[in-house]
Amino acid sequence: MSDEQTRKVIDQFNQAFQQHDPSLLKDLLAENCRLENSGPAPDGSKHVGYDECLQFWSAIAGNEGMTFEVEEVWTAGERAVCRWTLCWGGGPQDFVRGVNVTRLEGGLIVESFGYVKG
């Protein structure tokens, strides 16, 4: 898989959160998808399988009280790293910065690990 193809998948994934449109996630996840969320500390929550991952990410993407800002995306074959900021209010501490490390297979997300600055 080329860097451009991976970037296209990651861009659509990020758009789901930026546009609050969980339907953009449906065609991006593999049946055996696995994600590790950044919280709760210290290891984050773990989610396995298409349905569980879609449900978890859809809840975040559909939350119009949050703003997801992409800082930078790198791709290398079937791997991607995305630095981001997630805001949930207007206060000076109502945000967190983080990174997602994602792996694709056959054009679908199979693994994604989220980490935040703590």
Side-chain angles (χ1 to χ4, degrees):
M1 186 166 194
S2 72
D3 291 359
E4 288 178 6
Q5 292 168 313
T6 298
R7 179 63 186 246
K8 185 177 177 182
V9 171
I10 297 303
D11 285 348
Q12 182 174 329
F13 179 84
N14 290 336
Q15 286 171 2
F17 298 91
Q18 293 172 317
Q19 298 173 10
H20 304 290
D21 185 357
S23 70
L24 293 173
L25 300 169
K26 292 181 180 178
D27 296 329
L28 301 181
L29 310 181
E31 284 299 319
N32 61 337
C33 184
R34 178 170 81 101
L35 78 90
E36 292 185 12
N37 188 34
S38 56
D43 288 330
S45 60
K46 295 172 177 48
H47 307 270
V48 178
Y50 177 91
D51 292 333
E52 195 171 326
C53 292
L54 180 62
Q55 180 180 3
F56 177 84
W57 277 322
S58 291
I60 298 169
N63 185 339
E64 294 187 15
M66 294 183 170
T67 303
F68 181 76
E69 301 171 16
V70 174
E71 294 180 20
E72 193 165 13
V73 175
W74 298 279
T75 59
E78 292 189 326
R79 297 185 184 273
V81 175
C82 175
R83 287 189 309 117
W84 48 261
T85 301
L86 182 67
C87 302
W88 55 84
Q93 296 182 4
D94 294 340
F95 76 96
V96 67
R97 292 183 67 221
V99 63
N100 288 345
V101 179
T102 305
R103 185 173 66 85
L104 284 67
E105 282 183 4
L108 298 174
I109 296 171
V110 292
E111 290 181 330
S112 187
F113 303 96
Y115 302 93
V116 298
K117 291 184 141 211

